[in-house]
Amino acid sequence: MLVKTQIPKTLKERMELEEELRVPASFEDFLDLLEKCEYRIEYDEGQIISFMGYATRNHEIIVAHLIRLIGNLIDLELYSVFGSNLALHVPGFGKRYYNADCVVVKGEDEEVTLRGTMKAIANPVLIIEVLSASSYDFDLGGKFRNYKKIPSLQQVIYIDSTEMSVLTYTRYNGQDEWLLREFTDPAQEVPILSDGILNMADIYNKIKFNK
């Protein structure tokens, strides 16, 4: 991890630095940079955060599979499916700005204005993250702790791109309890909300793992 006082705006400059970059900044400074930055950045705990791990073949294939599979599974008259450019609003005193690889909203989008025309979605029911080596700890740690604060959220799914492993956290028995399940076999089926299942074999179709 590299902590700097400034963060580069161009992808070329960013690629010359370490995989994980954290820069202390105000939320207003983050929004200023967000409009100019050539790569993905997030904001949490008073820091601009950037993970610049190599976009692996496995990661990109799984993300493409997910958006297609989820779109085929759910009723698109009731739900909307979004990719990784959608900002997520996390309620609470602290300012945060997260992106996820796939987000599902039921009904009308509830938007929170960040500034001007910059909006964040406040009512996801499903969030899916495809884990990579560089962002693994952050996605499963701080981001998940804050995702749980979103009242509408019913399920969070983590899909490992380096081995066949899917973790699902499903809200139950009120607002504060989450059921964890792990899937590691190609014959298993992963439940998606109350709308059906995804086959592990379909999620990992054409995926090659390093031996």
Side-chain angles (χ1 to χ4, degrees):
M1 179 183 69
L2 181 63
V3 177
K4 292 173 63 68
T5 57
Q6 292 185 338
I7 191 168
K9 297 183 180 66
T10 68
L11 180 60
K12 180 178 182 298
E13 291 174 309
R14 177 64 186 91
M15 292 296 290
E16 295 173 354
L17 302 175
E18 295 182 13
E19 282 191 353
E20 182 177 348
L21 177 64
R22 293 174 180 264
V23 179
S26 69
F27 192 64
E28 288 301 313
D29 288 339
F30 167 76
L31 294 180
D32 287 341
L33 179 63
L34 189 64
E35 295 179 304
K36 307 168 186 175
C37 197
E38 295 180 359
Y39 53 92
R40 176 170 158 177
I41 54 175
E42 297 178 296
Y43 188 84
D44 190 21
E45 302 296 336
Q47 295 179 319
I48 298 171
I49 302 171
S50 166
F51 295 97
M52 194 50 67
Y54 179 71
T56 66
R57 172 187 181 276
N58 283 2
H59 185 282
E60 296 306 295
I61 288 178
I62 291 172
V63 170
H65 286 341
L66 282 173
I67 293 175
R68 175 178 58 82
L69 292 169
I70 294 290
N72 290 337
L73 177 66
I74 62 178
D75 184 349
L76 294 179
E77 293 297 319
L78 298 177
Y79 296 93
S80 299
V81 183
F82 300 94
S84 62
N85 290 324
L86 180 74
L88 292 171
H89 171 72
V90 177
F93 178 75
K95 295 288 188 180
R96 295 179 176 89
Y97 181 105
Y98 296 148
N99 299 102
D101 290 301
C102 181
V103 174
V104 176
V105 172
K106 185 175 183 179
E108 294 294 323
D109 305 344
E110 295 178 12
E111 294 184 328
V112 172
T113 299
L114 301 176
R115 185 171 67 190
T117 60
M118 301 172 70
K119 310 282 187 180
I121 292 294
N123 63 326
V125 293
L126 172 64
I127 293 174
I128 304 178
E129 298 273 15
V130 179
L131 300 172
S132 58
S134 60
S135 62
Y136 192 97
D137 291 340
F138 181 59
D139 286 340
L140 279 171
K143 282 181 82 171
F144 179 58
R145 287 195 300 272
N146 287 309
Y147 282 159
K148 291 189 292 184
K149 299 175 183 178
I150 302 175
S152 62
L153 188 61
Q154 298 303 307
Q155 187 174 17
V156 183
I157 300 177
Y158 292 98
I159 301 175
D160 201 322
S161 63
T162 63
E163 62 179 353
M164 185 171 287
S165 175
V166 173
L167 301 175
T168 72
Y169 289 87
T170 304
R171 193 189 295 268
Y172 77 103
N173 195 25
Q175 292 295 305
D176 298 321
E177 298 183 64
W178 293 78
L179 175 65
L180 169 63
R181 296 181 64 187
E182 183 175 9
F183 304 86
T184 58
D185 190 286
Q188 288 181 297
E189 298 175 334
V190 180
I192 303 297
L193 300 172
S194 58
D195 292 81
I197 54 91
L198 293 184
N199 296 314
M200 288 284 284
D202 290 335
I203 294 172
Y204 286 97
N205 183 32
K206 296 184 179 180
I207 296 301
K208 300 175 182 178
F209 298 114
N210 294 329
K211 297 182 179 180

